[in-house]
Amino acid sequence: MKVVIIGGVAGGATAAARIRRLDEQAEIVVFERSGFISYANCGLPYYIGGTIEDENDLTLQTPESFWKRFRVKMNVHHEVTEIHPDSKTVVVRNLENGTVFTESYDKLLLSPGAKPIRPNFEGVDSDKIFTLRTVEDTLKIKKYVDERHPQSAVVVGGGFIGIEVAENLRKLGIGVTLVEAAEQLMAPFDGDMASFIHAEVRKNGVNLMLGHMVEGFAGTDYGIDVKLKDAPTLHVDMVVMSIGVAPETALAKNAGLELGIKGSIVVNDKMETSIPDIYAVGDAVQIKNFVTDEDTLISLAGPANKQGRIAADNICGGDSHYTGGQGSSVIKIFDMTAATTGINEKTAKVLGLLTDKVIFSPMSHAGYYPGGKIMTMKVIFEKETYRILGAQIVGFDGVDKRIDVLATAIRARMKAYDLVELDLAYAPPYSSAKDPVNMAGFIIENIKNGVVKQWYYEDYETLPRDGSVTLLDTRTPMEYNRGHAEGFINIPVDELRERIDELDRSKPVYIICQSGLRSYIASRILVGNGFNAYNFAGGFRFYDAVRNDKALNRKSTPCGMDKN
């Protein structure tokens, strides 16, 4: 059996190695257009900033090492230009010498990945404008930074790569403006959780411009002008475009393969395309969202590697199936960690799902053990069924392991209230006896059993201010005086029983505290004394972060950056 693989990075390299492990006799030939194979896309920004010092560390294998271990012919700087399914051949161009030849196959695997979106803006071809997708892109940016010593940069796009590039340019002392067309960074997060991301980005000196569209570029004697819609032009030394990627599927289209969302390759759960003996994996393929069962695109390394393994199994006569992706991801944002899995609240609403949520701010480990850090968790679940739909966490320590537990719970199709049953490891330096994931389950169980009723940030503006409800802040007077929501009176939770007669039992009580715990205790005290009480999901810390972020976004005025 002869297997030809187009693309030698995540999915392609994984498939090649797996095929060899399953079939020692197979002939495996890989064609990779770039000069590198099996490289770590996710690590590219960190080489620019110097965290990864040796460029050789960006590649997990070389063509030579792959041949030595797996006897796979890795051909770099080779571009497949045509696929002929009828004759089971591909046409290949050697990019180093220009020669063109035909290669036959028994099985063909496409792993072409995705290409950076580069709009047809005026001036976009400037040598001061970069994208970041390959090792060559990274080396090009690194060379420019090292030789030209730019003092200012614009990063266009507030997704994973955009934020990581902004962080690494700031680490080099470069002034950075991050321009994002949407009203928030990191689209997988809801706007309220993105507030914490915005605060961390601003805290580290990045000029954040949300809701602004780039319209074009113009070279100058000193750098490059970034033209914005309805905003002053930005004058900087360099630009990195990171506004997303599109499936690289021109080959597949010309070969007659069925295409789906954004021109992606349609595959079944065995990673087979619409043409026999042709498989496809990675960023170029359309898959099922595990949570919604909707067709989707997920450009992440984890799914690509899994798909490569599954395709390899089936190429070798196995029966492996891909059950879909749920977008589990994590990102370092300066000192912060942000992670998500499943779908967010805004997506659930678009799909017409009836949802509820819990938002709270636990410590990363036992409060009495030094060094604990607060994280904010949001868990979204379906009303009535209590199916977990997604989760988002922002914080510092312990974020990654909590999102992984929640991702596993989604994959296991656990009910949200079943999180209370998880037996998770505990020691004071690592967690609490009631792990944050268990805490999410406790809150959801209380909602299910009618022990607590919630109110939310989006309810604040519509709360009656005519005296028909009671707005109660149960923090200490010191906390209250440092800042509180307008219209809320202060009765500390530890004084509530003694002062309960100050409240009118005929009025609903909307309660808030710093994190949600004291207000929950207060709600139970009030309910036990005949009141109708609602606990604020997230606490004042959450309320304040979202409120401040919205105010900053409204007040912010674009400011040009000039190297002088």
Side-chain angles (χ1 to χ4, degrees):
M1 179 177 67
K2 181 178 180 181
V3 182
V4 169
I5 298 174
I6 301 174
V9 191
T14 295
R18 177 70 171 171
I19 292 168
R20 173 58 70 226
R21 289 194 295 269
L22 296 176
D23 187 346
E24 182 64 19
Q25 307 308 316
E27 181 183 357
I28 308 168
V29 181
V30 179
F31 295 110
E32 167 58 41
R33 184 170 53 190
S34 76
F36 300 87
I37 64 161
S38 193
Y39 57 82
N41 295 80
C42 304
L44 300 181
Y46 299 99
Y47 177 68
I48 295 169
T51 300
I52 298 173
E53 297 180 355
D54 188 343
E55 70 177 73
N56 294 319
D57 291 337
L58 294 173
T59 53
L60 306 176
Q61 294 276 0
T62 65
E64 295 74 22
S65 68
F66 222 93
W67 172 258
K68 186 174 183 180
R69 177 161 295 182
F70 297 111
R71 291 298 187 269
V72 170
K73 299 173 185 175
M74 283 282 184
N75 300 282
V76 296
H77 293 139
H78 281 68
E79 181 179 14
V80 175
T81 59
E82 298 175 35
I83 300 171
H84 298 291
D86 292 341
S87 61
K88 286 195 169 183
T89 59
V90 297
V91 177
V92 187
R93 176 183 288 111
N94 184 325
L95 299 178
E96 293 180 351
N97 59 29
T99 59
V100 177
F101 60 93
T102 298
E103 190 85 21
S104 64
Y105 67 84
D106 296 311
K107 305 285 185 181
L108 177 65
L109 174 65
L110 307 182
S111 182
K115 57 186 176 183
I117 296 172
R118 197 177 176 99
N120 191 28
F121 290 148
E122 177 189 0
V124 75
D125 294 327
S126 167
D127 61 1
K128 299 180 180 67
I129 300 177
F130 305 88
T131 57
L132 181 57
R133 184 68 180 176
T134 66
V135 174
E136 284 93 343
D137 294 336
T138 310
L139 300 179
K140 187 176 178 182
I141 296 173
K142 180 69 170 173
K143 184 173 187 290
Y144 183 88
V145 169
D146 289 346
E147 293 181 356
R148 304 289 289 274
H149 306 291
Q151 299 300 302
S152 58
V154 161
V155 176
V156 184
F160 288 93
I161 295 297
I163 291 177
E164 289 167 348
V165 168
E167 175 182 346
N168 281 278
L169 293 179
R170 283 296 298 138
K171 185 177 180 182
L172 297 174
I174 298 171
V176 178
T177 291
L178 201 165
V179 180
E180 167 57 52
E183 297 296 330
Q184 68 168 81
L185 303 177
M186 295 299 296
F189 290 79
D190 287 312
D192 50 11
M193 296 296 286
S195 298
F196 294 94
I197 297 173
H198 300 164
E200 182 70 11
V201 169
R202 289 182 174 116
K203 186 182 79 173
N204 283 276
V206 174
N207 178 32
L208 189 56
M209 294 179 61
L210 301 175
H212 288 281
M213 294 280 292
V214 173
E215 290 193 318
F217 306 94
T220 70
D221 293 339
Y222 300 101
I224 187 164
D225 286 352
V226 182
K227 301 175 183 179
L228 303 177
K229 182 179 181 180
D230 301 324
T233 295
L234 301 175
H235 312 287
V236 292
D237 296 323
M238 64 180 294
V239 173
V240 180
M241 296 285 292
S242 181
I243 60 175
V245 295
E248 184 83 77
T249 56
L251 263 178
K253 180 180 180 181
N254 293 336
L257 272 67
E258 181 184 354
L259 303 181
I261 300 171
K262 295 182 179 179
S264 59
I265 303 169
V266 172
V267 293
N268 61 18
D269 63 356
K270 298 182 74 171
M271 310 313 299
E272 296 169 324
T273 70
S274 59
I275 295 180
D277 296 323
I278 300 181
Y279 298 74
V281 300
D283 295 354
V285 305
Q286 173 181 292
I287 63 170
K288 291 290 184 181
N289 184 297
F290 181 81
V291 176
T292 67
D293 203 37
E294 299 280 330
D295 292 329
T296 190
L297 301 176
I298 296 179
S299 298
L300 294 169
N305 279 278
K306 293 181 183 72
Q307 293 159 18
R309 178 184 173 90
I310 289 166
D313 287 352
N314 294 316
I315 286 170
C316 293
D319 187 29
S320 293
H321 299 263
Y322 186 64
T323 56
Q326 61 196 67
S328 300
S329 58
V330 64
I331 181 173
K332 174 185 176 294
I333 305 170
F334 295 96
D335 294 327
M336 176 177 278
T337 300
T340 182
T341 186
I343 62 173
N344 57 28
E345 188 178 7
K346 60 190 174 188
T347 299
K349 288 180 178 178
V350 169
L351 294 173
L353 297 174
L354 296 178
T355 65
D356 204 348
K357 60 192 172 188
V358 294
I359 305 167
F360 62 109
S361 298
M363 293 286 284
S364 58
H365 62 239
Y368 61 83
Y369 188 89
K373 301 286 182 65
I374 293 175
M375 67 180 76
T376 298
M377 296 178 60
K378 180 176 185 177
V379 179
I380 303 144
F381 56 96
E382 191 173 29
K383 285 185 176 179
E384 305 300 331
T385 69
Y386 287 87
R387 176 170 64 111
I388 306 172
L389 299 174
Q392 300 157 51
I393 311 177
V394 291
F396 299 90
D397 297 336
V399 168
D400 53 341
K401 72 175 182 177
R402 271 66 186 222
I403 206 70
D404 283 343
V405 173
L406 289 163
T408 303
I410 291 174
R411 184 63 56 159
R413 302 187 189 278
M414 292 176 62
K415 300 295 187 183
Y417 50 79
D418 287 335
L419 297 174
V420 303
E421 301 293 343
L422 293 177
D423 192 351
L424 303 175
Y426 159 63
Y430 303 105
S431 185
S432 301
K434 297 176 182 177
D435 187 86
V437 175
N438 295 133
M439 288 298 301
F442 294 146
I443 300 170
I444 294 166
E445 185 181 58
N446 281 340
I447 293 169
K448 174 178 177 289
N449 295 334
V451 174
V452 65
K453 293 185 289 187
Q454 297 189 116
W455 68 282
Y456 310 97
Y457 180 86
E458 55 266 30
D459 299 327
Y460 174 76
E461 296 295 342
T462 58
L463 287 176
R465 300 301 201 279
D466 58 2
S468 60
V469 301
T470 300
L471 308 179
L472 179 63
D473 187 322
T474 59
R475 296 176 298 159
T476 65
M478 183 179 296
E479 291 173 298
Y480 178 83
N481 290 331
R482 282 202 297 260
H484 58 268
E486 183 182 352
F488 279 71
I489 63 170
N490 180 221
I491 301 178
V493 64
D494 293 334
E495 300 176 15
L496 184 56
R497 289 184 179 88
E498 288 72 30
R499 299 175 58 182
I500 202 164
D501 289 339
E502 297 178 25
L503 306 177
D504 186 341
R505 282 177 172 79
S506 68
K507 298 178 181 179
V509 185
Y510 290 82
I511 316 169
I512 194 170
C513 74
Q514 189 67 15
S515 68
L517 175 58
R518 285 173 288 177
S519 53
Y520 164 63
I521 294 170
S523 74
R524 295 306 305 154
I525 293 171
L526 292 174
V527 169
N529 283 275
F531 287 82
N532 184 17
Y534 296 83
N535 185 32
F536 180 69
F540 182 80
R541 177 178 176 274
F542 176 81
Y543 164 89
D544 198 42
V546 178
R547 194 85 170 168
N548 288 340
D549 183 59
K550 289 182 180 295
L552 283 171
N553 291 342
R554 284 194 302 268
K555 293 178 181 178
S556 63
T557 55
C559 56
M561 296 181 61
D562 192 287
K563 64 187 291 183
N564 297 320

